[in-house]
Amino acid sequence: MNRRLLHLTVENFRTLTRVELPLGPLTVMVGPNAAGKSNVLHVFEFLADISRSGIDASLEALGGYPEVSYRGGARSPASMRIGVQGMWTEHATESEPDSYNLSLLYRRRAHGELDEYVLSRNERFVQHPLPDGPAVIKLQRTAASVSGQEPADRQTERLTVGRMDSALHAKLALPSNAPSLTAMQTLSEHLRDIRVFDVDVRAARRPSPIGFPGLLLANDASNLADFLMELRGEDDVWEALMDDIRTVLPHIEDIEVRPVTGRGDRVTVVLKERGLRGTTRLADASFGTIRLLCLLTLFHDPHPPVMTCIEEIDHGIHPHALELLALRLREASERTQFLVTTHSPVFVDRLEPEEFVVCERDDLGRSRIPAISTERIHSIIEASEGLPLGELWFSGSVGGSAW
């Protein structure tokens, strides 16, 4: 089964007061600064954090419910909702997808002070681990209910949970062979592993420890050297990566991963550059060179997570290199989903209308995502007699401009 996410629904998460976003293999969001593009990525970070740490800890890390929820109006909204649809069980389909919905309810305490509020959660899973019909799991207040076709899913005893427990984080008291339990654990693993990739160039320049983290490129590329050492062991992958690097960085003849002198537990990257004696430390390479190296390495990852998010993919990249990045990104989206933001018309020129999402923000601070339908984008392209999509966006013809 091709596991992937199909749709995201958000209400009252920061500026995302009401967002319905289809998720294809490649989804690229464009629009002015502060339109809400980054907040969409933060939704997935929030869900991943819930699966690791639980709801209370995840909210606290972001400053609490009043900070995380929409801050327009006189007071915090009474509820916040996040929903995802997708296929993470064996018998889910695009027409009958799995779904997960989390509602956080922010209510004034009865007979309490005017500023005294109580937070609670509702959670609902609809999953298809068996062919006979969906399994439905609900968490409301301190009770959980499970219904499904498998006897292990049908509980005769009341399941008690904490008021703020999430089944993404805390395992329900179900038999270990319950299909619904396995399905929830699968979703939790997928959400926890979603990669929000934002290169920290300083961290990527440094030597990195050798170890298990090298099997997955870190979200900030801080283990770049160790990950490249892993890729060198896969000849076809390494050869394809080097071909791309030499295409966009023609002065680089080779990349070597070497042990750090006196530190057998660390490795570092050095570059062999055309016309220069010796090698160049990655620490001395330019900002754009390192970002290109990190992004191309990411696209050649043979074992990616179910989704990778990338903030401002064009940042620091020469326009001539964006064509190859767009091509490799689309190829990589056959193995994993990508959710990307950009401000580059050159990059947008390489997109299909189905991959392109316009983002805007109104005078009340609410994001409009998508701000225009795919059908409308097709009609505008047709009326323009085939002008490139990036040019139409930059001119404001499809919305999402900064002026």
Side-chain angles (χ1 to χ4, degrees), residues 3-251:
R3 289 190 171 94
R4 62 191 183 96
L5 302 179
L6 300 170
H7 198 272
L8 173 70
T9 302
V10 188
E11 294 178 8
N12 293 328
F13 180 92
R14 294 182 171 166
T15 65
L16 310 179
T17 57
R18 189 174 297 273
V19 167
E20 298 276 349
L21 179 62
L23 298 169
L26 172 59
T27 304
V28 180
M29 296 183 291
V30 304
N33 293 327
K37 303 183 299 296
S38 296
N39 285 338
V40 176
L41 306 190
H42 293 325
V43 168
F44 287 107
E45 286 185 309
F46 183 58
L47 291 176
D49 201 30
I50 288 174
S51 70
R52 287 188 293 262
S53 307
I55 295 173
D56 281 330
S58 300
L59 284 173
E60 184 178 353
L62 296 175
Y65 179 90
E67 288 295 317
V68 178
S69 61
Y70 172 60
R71 291 189 289 112
R75 57 176 61 119
S76 299
S79 65
M80 181 170 70
R81 176 173 173 261
I82 299 172
V84 291
Q85 291 184 336
M87 298 184 294
W88 53 84
T89 59
E90 183 177 357
H91 297 281
T93 63
E94 292 192 25
S95 59
E96 293 289 337
D98 299 320
S99 66
Y100 167 73
N101 286 280
L102 169 67
S103 296
L104 297 177
L105 310 176
Y106 192 64
R107 301 288 191 261
R108 183 177 294 167
R109 187 187 296 275
H111 311 297
E113 298 294 331
L114 289 180
D115 60 351
E116 190 174 3
Y117 288 81
V118 176
L119 187 64
S120 61
R121 66 82 196 91
N122 289 336
E123 206 168 34
R124 186 172 188 266
F125 299 77
V126 178
Q127 302 171 134
H128 300 78
L130 298 172
D132 300 327
V136 180
I137 303 95
K138 297 180 182 178
L139 279 71
Q140 293 180 300
R141 298 182 181 176
T142 59
S145 63
V146 183
S147 61
Q149 302 301 319
E150 179 70 21
D153 272 343
R154 297 198 290 269
Q155 292 293 302
T156 57
E157 298 180 3
R158 178 184 175 90
L159 290 176
T160 301
V161 295
R163 181 173 53 85
M164 291 297 290
D165 282 352
S166 167
L168 292 177
H169 174 64
K171 188 180 296 185
L172 295 182
L174 291 169
S176 59
N177 64 335
S180 59
L181 179 63
T182 301
M184 283 189 295
Q185 291 172 337
T186 299
L187 173 61
S188 179
E189 290 169 2
H190 286 339
L191 294 176
R192 185 168 58 247
D193 291 342
I194 286 176
R195 181 165 49 194
V196 181
F197 193 66
D198 187 8
V199 176
D200 182 339
V201 170
R202 290 185 179 181
R205 283 181 167 131
R206 301 187 195 109
S208 54
I210 301 172
F212 180 76
L215 299 177
L216 182 70
L217 186 60
N219 290 352
D220 60 357
S222 57
N223 67 335
L224 177 64
D226 191 27
F227 188 71
L228 287 173
M229 186 172 66
E230 293 287 339
L231 289 189
R232 288 212 71 143
E234 304 198 28
D235 293 341
D236 291 343
V237 174
W238 183 257
E239 183 177 344
L241 173 61
M242 287 305 306
D243 285 345
D244 282 349
I245 289 171
R246 292 174 184 131
T247 298
V248 295
L249 298 168
H251 61 283

Side-chain angles (χ1 to χ4, degrees), residues 187-331:
L187 173 61
S188 179
E189 290 169 2
H190 286 339
L191 294 176
R192 185 168 58 247
D193 291 342
I194 286 176
R195 181 165 49 194
V196 181
F197 193 66
D198 187 8
V199 176
D200 182 339
V201 170
R202 290 185 179 181
R205 283 181 167 131
R206 301 187 195 109
S208 54
I210 301 172
F212 180 76
L215 299 177
L216 182 70
L217 186 60
N219 290 352
D220 60 357
S222 57
N223 67 335
L224 177 64
D226 191 27
F227 188 71
L228 287 173
M229 186 172 66
E230 293 287 339
L231 289 189
R232 288 212 71 143
E234 304 198 28
D235 293 341
D236 291 343
V237 174
W238 183 257
E239 183 177 344
L241 173 61
M242 287 305 306
D243 285 345
D244 282 349
I245 289 171
R246 292 174 184 131
T247 298
V248 295
L249 298 168
H251 61 283
I252 295 180
E253 293 182 338
D254 199 8
I255 294 176
E256 297 180 13
V257 182
R258 297 177 177 176
V260 176
T261 303
R263 294 292 303 271
D265 62 336
R266 291 180 180 269
V267 289
T268 190
V269 174
V270 296
L271 309 176
K272 176 60 178 174
E273 298 190 79
R274 181 177 293 111
L276 299 182
R277 298 189 309 273
T279 57
T280 302
R281 300 182 308 161
L282 195 62
D284 297 325
S286 71
F287 179 95
T289 293
I290 293 174
R291 271 192 58 84
L292 264 175
L293 175 58
C294 291
L295 287 168
L296 288 171
T297 299
L298 179 78
F299 299 153
H300 286 278
D301 183 352
H303 308 293
V306 70
M307 176 179 277
T308 296
C309 305
I310 305 175
E311 182 89 46
E312 295 189 23
I313 191 170
D314 54 282
H315 181 48
I317 305 298
H318 193 281
H320 288 308
L322 292 176
E323 182 175 359
L324 179 64
L325 282 185
L327 175 62
R328 293 295 177 256
L329 177 61
R330 184 172 289 113
E331 291 173 351

